[in-house]
Amino acid sequence: MTHSAQPVASLFIDGAPVEGEGPALPVLYPYTGRQIALLHEASANQVALACEAAARAQPAWAAMAPADRGRVLSRAAAIIRDRNEELSHLETLDTGKPIQETRVADWASGAAALEYFGGLAATVTGQMIPLGRDWAYTRREALGVCAGIGAWNYPSQIACWKAAPALAMGNAMVFKPSEETPLGALKLAEILIEAGAPPGIFNVVQGGGQVGAALVTDPKVAKVSLTGSVPTGRRVYAAAADGMRHVTMELGGKSPLIVFDDASLDDAVGAAILANFYSSGQICSNGTRVFLQRGIAERFLARLAQRLATIRIGDPLDPDTQFGPIINPTQAARIRAAIAAGQDAGARLVCGGGGEGAFIPPTVFADATDDMAIARDEIFGPVMTTLTFADETEAVARANATGFGLAAGVFTQDLTRAHRVVAALEAGTCWINAYNLTPVEMPFGGVKMSGLGRENSAAAIEHYSQLKTVYVGMGAVEAPY
Ligand code: NDP
């Protein structure tokens, strides 16, 4: 298979590929560091043109029968499933993630979102409110033009997770992928047109933070949905506030995974692996603070190290590879610095370490304390920090002692404790005896600094629509004078 991934053009505006007028944007394959495509960023004028195209197309799209809009999304999902192999190959080139993962996790979950919201579109109804003689009703209406801005870890999934509910509700979208991974969103734009979406309903602009900032403040934009880090989220939220725009913020985390000593050891170890090393650890909801009850701690660490020793690290396009490179050298350097800081602070390196070049092996720290940087800051790499605790009250208090609140997990065989603990955890998405499973049927999102709004499930509908209330007078109007 080829390593070239040059698209027809860098942007997609008003139903057609358009070349960017901004600076060059080379796209590198993280495994080799070689250029696989050369794109150009959107100019400020092109960002405005994309928003205008979206604004022009949106009213007619919103006026269509919801079932007809839904059918377009369902067709797009079917096209994605048919082309999953080709799309997954491209996703691997764009992100460096193993083809073993991209085949099952990326476009597949994007297709699931398009199917889900395609089906849901026709089921969204208002409410009839009886008021005696008079009555009122509500209509759930589109917001207008939505801006989507994505991170680089799940570029195509993020594009689909934002586009599917937005389009289902009759909005149009202008999407800016991360400049690190610009290719998947262009495919989604083509596929939506092929599936019957009118031109202008889904547009793609490319570029870095400046292009994102121009998009967020475009006067045509009514809503901004960002997946990114907390610092970017803060900036984007503030910029959106100026125009009273709606926001969804899917931001970072430092999520706790609490393992009680009655847990099934192998299941807890398996979940901790999924919670830290899938996609080379570049996942927002990762359970990077693993709290181990003292009775299970050493057995857990021994089993974990044993299982991690079997991991196959290497060429992402080799179907046997389980663990790929980090997205870029800058990010790899940041992760190495975080690992070095953990060692300097006195945490015990159970396995892993800095690695070489683009690769950082699965790294596990033990004997960490809550005040160490490795236990406080989001590393966004394959670094698990384990901490020990004595009892439930302590575990919950320490798990919550963070500004983040994206996700959390608990492993125990004690049914009542499991539910009591998740009820007490300050996190938007929790798992009991599981971790990092995010089916489209369930709401996903964070609390505290990890964000607001929810993606997926029927809950996402509320974040891509607004309520109109209509009072219906059925008789004479009684005025006092
Ligand atoms: P960043 O916050 O660096 O960037 C996110 C996106 O925002 C990128 O497209 C970026 O552009 C863009 N951007 C940057 N500055 C601005 C601005 N001022 N205005 C508008 N857009 C801007 O995140 P990363 O791409 O590095 O992704 C990693 C982060 O994302 C982690 O913190 C991770 O936890 C979080 N994340 C959260 C998820 C969730 O669902 N909660 C899921 C996945 C990741 P560019 O980078 O191209 O310059």
Side-chain angles (χ1 to χ4, degrees):
M1 285 224 216
T2 169
H3 283 199
S4 170
Q6 186 67 37
V8 182
S10 303
L11 322 179
F12 199 94
I13 299 176
D14 210 5
V18 179
E19 198 40 75
E21 292 166 353
L25 183 62
V27 188
L28 310 180
Y29 179 31
Y31 178 51
T32 58
R34 293 219 184 95
Q35 186 171 310
I36 51 168
L38 181 63
L39 270 55
H40 285 85
E41 294 191 17
S43 63
N45 185 45
Q46 287 179 310
V47 173
L49 286 175
C51 294
E52 279 165 26
R56 260 196 320 274
Q58 189 267 332
W61 175 246
M64 274 168 68
D68 292 338
R69 285 199 303 269
R71 214 165 284 125
V72 171
L73 302 188
S74 305
R75 271 197 297 268
I79 295 170
I80 289 171
R81 292 205 190 283
D82 278 352
R83 294 196 200 142
N84 187 52
E85 187 57 29
E86 168 208 330
L87 292 168
S88 303
H89 180 86
L90 184 68
E91 192 79 348
T92 286
L93 292 180
D94 213 8
T95 61
K97 296 196 295 182
I99 188 91
Q100 197 185 85
E101 284 190 20
T102 54
R103 270 181 186 151
V104 298
D106 292 79
W107 281 101
S109 75
L114 289 159
E115 265 160 7
Y116 181 87
F117 289 104
L120 202 68
T123 72
V124 178
T125 56
Q127 207 184 6
M128 186 276 188
I129 304 158
L131 298 169
R133 182 193 67 180
D134 295 349
W135 56 287
Y137 66 96
T138 59
R139 295 165 49 91
R140 203 155 259 295
E141 297 186 340
L143 298 168
V145 177
C146 300
I149 301 179
W152 42 259
N153 59 340
Y154 278 85
S156 301
Q157 180 195 77
I158 291 170
C160 292
W161 280 19
K162 296 190 189 310
L167 271 49
M169 292 310 296
N171 302 283
M173 178 162 268
V174 180
F175 188 82
K176 187 201 87 66
S178 162
E179 60 190 325
E180 296 293 331
T181 52
L183 302 175
L186 291 171
K187 285 286 171 199
L188 177 61
E190 283 171 23
I191 288 168
L192 282 165
I193 290 287
E194 198 180 324
I201 287 304
F202 184 78
N203 308 274
V204 179
V205 295
Q206 307 285 358
Q210 265 184 323
V211 172
L215 178 58
V216 169
T217 50
D218 187 282
K220 296 262 182 322
V221 168
K223 190 226 159 83
V224 182
S225 177
L226 170 81
T227 297
S229 61
V230 171
T232 303
R234 229 191 237 124
R235 275 197 295 277
V236 170
Y237 195 2
D242 192 40
M244 210 61 84
R245 294 172 180 85
H246 297 245
V247 295
T248 296
M249 294 281 150
E250 292 290 353
L251 309 177
K254 188 76 184 178
S255 300
L257 170 57
I258 304 175
V259 182
F260 287 95
D261 57 16
D262 66 340
S264 151
L265 181 69
D266 257 314
D267 290 339
V269 167
I273 288 173
L274 292 176
N276 282 273
F277 304 124
Y278 207 68
S279 294
S280 298
Q282 304 165 114
I283 298 184
C284 51
S285 52
N286 272 358
T288 47
R289 289 184 296 144
V290 179
F291 287 94
L292 302 170
Q293 199 164 20
R294 292 220 174 90
I296 202 173
E298 285 310 316
R299 276 184 297 136
F300 180 98
L301 289 169
R303 185 75 184 115
L304 178 65
Q306 201 181 30
R307 283 178 63 172
L308 288 177
T310 68
I311 197 168
R312 286 191 291 271
I313 302 177
D315 180 351
L317 286 171
D318 177 344
D320 289 330
T321 294
Q322 296 168 319
F323 187 91
I326 299 301
I327 188 76
N328 62 35
T330 311
Q331 194 61 15
R334 254 191 229 140
I335 298 167
R336 286 197 177 97
I339 294 172
Q343 289 177 289
D344 290 346
R348 167 165 56 112
L349 196 60
V350 177
C351 60
E356 272 173 41
F359 284 88
I360 296 180
T363 297
V364 177
F365 279 109
D367 305 336
T369 54
D370 296 355
D371 57 341
M372 289 180 184
I374 51 166
R376 281 199 330 263
D377 303 336
E378 182 182 46
I379 298 172
F380 216 59
V383 184
M384 180 197 300
T385 298
T386 66
L387 308 120
T388 54
F389 69 94
D391 61 28
E392 181 183 319
T393 309
E394 179 196 337
V396 169
R398 289 171 59 197
N400 285 340
T402 169
F404 295 112
L406 186 56
V410 56
F411 267 77
T412 177
Q413 300 293 332
D414 180 335
L415 185 68
T416 51
R417 175 161 65 189
H419 295 289
R420 192 169 57 235
V421 168
V422 290
L425 288 171
E426 295 165 358
T429 309
C430 293
W431 291 275
I432 295 174
N433 294 336
Y435 205 88
N436 258 356
L437 303 174
T438 54
V440 66
E441 296 89 338
M442 84 181 208
F444 178 78
V447 298
K448 292 158 83 176
M449 291 305 286
S450 292
L452 42 101
R454 290 293 176 269
E455 296 202 297
N456 289 340
S457 81
I461 289 300
E462 287 171 28
H463 299 289
Y464 283 100
S465 61
Q466 56 198 346
L467 270 188
K468 177 181 281 173
T469 307
V470 183
Y471 185 105
V472 184
M474 299 292 288
V477 176
E478 286 167 23
Y481 50 86

